[in-house]
Amino acid sequence: MSCSDNIQFLRKRRGLTQEQFAEALGVTRQSVSKWESGQSYPEMEKLLQMCELFGCDLETLVRGSADAAASEDDAEYEPFMNAFSRAIAGGVALILLGVTLLVGLGMIVGEEIMTMVFLGLLTVAVLLFVLYGIRMESFRREHPRVGALYSAAECRRANSVFAARLCVGIGAILLGVIACVGIAEFGAAAWGSAVSEYAAGAVVLVGVTIGVPLIVYGGLQKSKYDIAAYNRENKPRAGGEPLSSRISGAIMLTATAIFLACGFIWNKWHPAWAVFPIGGILCGIVSTLMDKGEQQGEEKRADADNE
């Protein structure tokens, strides 16, 4: 590929219009058009700016094949997204497992010991979230745009697998709720109200601990196949990180603070666990509403990228 072809390929791969690209380099749109048509050649300063913007080396930009280099980068997408899905779902599972153990074994082993176990699992989960959050940010910066990696058949198969995981996860949660109702109804006479209440809470949490991480993992794996959304999310933003992400992070931090406060101050570990699924639902609503609005705005400007 020639330098002009590489510039055009990398610009479109980055999701930039000629106007946006020109603004990023501090030149006019006409200059970009001449570079891409081969009528003129960029100065060394502009070439170096392009290398920084596109995340490529000067040799590839000037004399190499940006298309071939991009294909090598795309090969890293699948293993990284798989590892990210496992880490996030695993972190969610650790938090829910800690809550389940705290509620289920608190009366038997002692709430102080189980609180320490919960905080230990929570610490590991938070470290996973932080580690893979940083890795994801770095990966997106180094791979702002990926090609069409999956066929239509693979996407359809991914949707079927997601539906199966979703059904199993919801089924596990509902079975836990059914068992909880049964224990609350018939267990009070046999074990006493206090024991049956803890047993009912523990049983429903077992279903949640199994179902929610499976749903989270399935959703992350499904989103892996939505390459268009990945590329759209990595387009340059004037405001930096999306507002929906900042709001979702604040919601989950608030949920964790409420849970710990209810437990340590009022000793209400059992009902307080409900803040986590509620927080997850709120995050989903915020993300859906706000990202949909951003997507509609992007779609209105999509025709400008047909050069």
Side-chain angles (χ1 to χ4, degrees):
M1 297 177 68
S2 64
C3 181
S4 58
D5 291 334
N6 285 332
I7 293 174
Q8 185 176 35
F9 172 81
L10 291 170
R11 173 183 65 79
K12 291 184 175 181
R13 180 181 172 82
R14 189 68 175 86
L16 298 172
T17 63
Q18 287 188 342
E19 289 85 353
Q20 292 171 332
F21 185 44
E23 183 179 355
L25 296 179
V27 297
T28 64
R29 179 188 177 280
Q30 290 72 22
S31 297
V32 172
S33 180
K34 290 180 180 180
W35 295 341
E36 295 184 353
S37 63
Q39 298 178 31
S40 64
Y41 196 79
E43 300 174 355
M44 178 59 68
E45 178 186 356
K46 300 305 177 185
L47 289 173
L48 294 176
Q49 285 183 258
M50 291 181 205
C51 290
E52 183 177 357
L53 178 63
F54 297 138
C56 68
D57 57 81
L58 186 61
E59 178 70 18
T60 299
L61 179 63
V62 175
R63 295 189 297 181
S65 174
D67 192 359
S71 298
E72 294 179 1
D73 289 342
D74 289 349
E76 301 179 17
Y77 177 82
E78 172 86 12
F80 176 80
M81 295 304 287
N82 288 340
F84 179 79
S85 299
R86 290 192 294 267
I88 299 303
V92 171
L94 288 174
I95 293 175
L96 293 174
L97 176 62
V99 176
T100 302
L101 293 175
L102 179 60
V103 173
L105 300 179
M107 289 184 63
I108 301 173
V109 180
E111 288 192 355
E112 294 79 6
I113 295 177
M114 296 316 301
T115 298
M116 293 175 61
V117 172
F118 164 73
L119 293 177
L121 293 175
L122 177 64
T123 300
V124 175
V126 170
L127 292 177
L128 277 175
F129 294 152
V130 172
L131 174 62
Y132 275 87
I134 294 174
R135 287 184 177 178
M136 173 59 82
E137 181 180 356
S138 176
F139 184 86
R140 287 182 179 275
R141 186 167 56 250
E142 296 172 4
H143 306 80
R145 200 168 181 86
V146 298
L149 300 178
Y150 306 107
S151 64
E154 289 175 318
C155 291
R156 287 194 297 270
R157 185 163 57 252
N159 286 331
S160 299
V161 172
F162 169 71
R165 287 171 173 156
L166 182 63
C167 290
V168 173
I170 294 175
I173 295 173
L174 292 178
L175 286 176
V177 172
I178 294 171
C180 172
V181 173
I183 292 174
E185 183 70 24
F186 304 107
W191 308 322
S193 59
V195 175
S196 64
E197 180 182 347
Y198 268 90
V203 168
V204 73
L205 281 174
V206 169
V208 172
T209 301
I210 296 173
V212 171
L214 186 60
I215 294 172
V216 171
Y217 179 76
L220 290 172
Q221 282 290 288
K222 180 179 181 295
S223 67
K224 175 185 71 176
Y225 289 84
D226 194 349
I227 301 298
Y230 175 88
N231 291 336
R232 184 172 59 249
E233 290 170 1
N234 291 329
K235 282 189 176 182
R237 297 174 183 266
E241 183 184 6
L243 179 60
S244 60
S245 297
R246 298 197 292 270
I247 294 177
S248 296
I251 289 174
M252 294 312 297
L253 285 174
T254 302
T256 302
I258 292 173
F259 176 77
L260 294 176
C262 290
F264 286 118
I265 299 176
W266 297 289
N267 198 30
K268 298 293 184 179
W269 299 104
H270 167 45
W273 63 265
V275 299
F276 289 109
I278 293 173
I281 293 172
L282 290 177
C283 289
I285 293 173
V286 169
S287 178
T288 299
L289 294 179
M290 300 191 69
D291 290 349
K292 183 177 181 181
E294 292 182 2
Q295 179 179 354
Q296 290 175 345
E298 292 291 341
E299 289 174 350
K300 292 180 181 178
R301 296 189 294 269
D303 292 338
D305 194 26
N306 293 327
E307 296 88 352

